[in-house]
Amino acid sequence: MVLVSVTMTRPSDVHWLYHEVGRVFPEQWSRFRAGGDDAEDLVAAYDRLLNAHPDPAVRAKAAKDWCEWEDAVLSLEPGWAPNPRNEDPGLRMTFARLCAHYFANAAWLEDGQILRDASRLAGIPGIMVHGRLDLGGPADVPWLLQRAWPGSELYLVGTGHAGGDEMSQQMLAALSRFAK
């Protein structure tokens, strides 16, 4: 198994991405927070706006706000450019709805379940490649998982979440090892 840009979707991971990283991007987070009606739980608020609000214009604005926040979190990465997916209203809506719904429901996992059950992966070869500069998913997430998954390997590279040449090279090297 090869995993790239790892998350465990724990409530603390989701809270980090949609609340705490706002300290790095205060202007963008202020807009994101306002789009979620300044709710205490922005992910749940956006999930309701994107998946249950009856007004299509409200849903479209929420999708735009969500994707602009996602882009902001990646914006410090070398070579960053806004994701072209966000120009397509349908793709923007699909991405935002899926993310908000999964994260609002903690991916239907108990808090810490992946980490707690990682030992069950013993004997399944696994390589994780993760950007040390990934603001959306800090490097301690795959580091903790690697320590709990017997026999797994972790390669921290000098990129962010979106990757780059170094991440691609490590990912291709990992895939090549399993192709033999």
Side-chain angles (χ1 to χ4, degrees):
M1 186 179 324
V2 176
L3 303 173
V4 178
S5 298
V6 177
T7 185
M8 290 190 275
T9 318
R10 299 170 298 180
S12 60
D13 300 328
V14 173
H15 190 265
W16 165 261
L17 177 55
Y18 296 102
H19 290 266
E20 295 175 52
V21 171
R23 295 176 67 187
V24 179
F25 305 99
E27 182 180 342
Q28 296 90 336
W29 191 74
S30 179
R31 284 194 302 268
F32 179 66
R33 189 181 68 225
D37 297 325
D38 292 314
E40 189 171 319
D41 183 345
L42 289 173
V43 175
Y46 272 94
D47 183 42
R48 286 189 301 275
L49 289 169
L50 290 160
N51 292 299
H53 201 283
D55 185 344
V58 170
R59 291 193 307 267
K61 182 183 180 314
K64 185 176 186 299
D65 291 345
W66 182 278
C67 290
E68 285 177 355
W69 173 248
E70 293 273 343
D71 263 348
V73 173
L74 299 176
S75 68
L76 298 180
E77 297 184 16
W80 174 84
N83 193 319
R85 153 196 82 218
N86 297 338
E87 297 302 316
D88 181 313
L91 289 175
R92 185 171 56 221
M93 180 65 71
T94 299
F95 175 79
R97 290 181 77 197
L98 284 170
C99 288
H101 195 58
Y102 271 80
F103 289 152
N105 291 286
W108 294 272
L109 298 167
E110 295 174 19
D111 188 7
Q113 183 176 347
I114 292 174
L115 195 57
R116 182 190 68 232
D117 293 343
S119 63
R120 296 172 65 183
L121 297 171
I124 298 174
I127 299 173
M128 291 174 271
V129 182
H130 195 87
R132 188 176 296 279
L133 305 176
D134 186 341
L135 287 178
D140 68 332
V141 174
W143 183 80
L144 290 168
L145 182 56
Q146 190 274 323
R147 292 175 53 91
W149 179 357
S152 67
E153 300 171 36
L154 172 62
Y155 295 93
L156 290 173
V157 297
T159 69
H161 185 77
D165 290 342
E166 186 182 5
M167 185 178 281
S168 295
Q169 290 168 2
Q170 283 292 338
M171 180 184 66
L172 290 172
L175 292 168
S176 295
R177 285 176 51 191
F178 293 123
K180 295 177 183 181

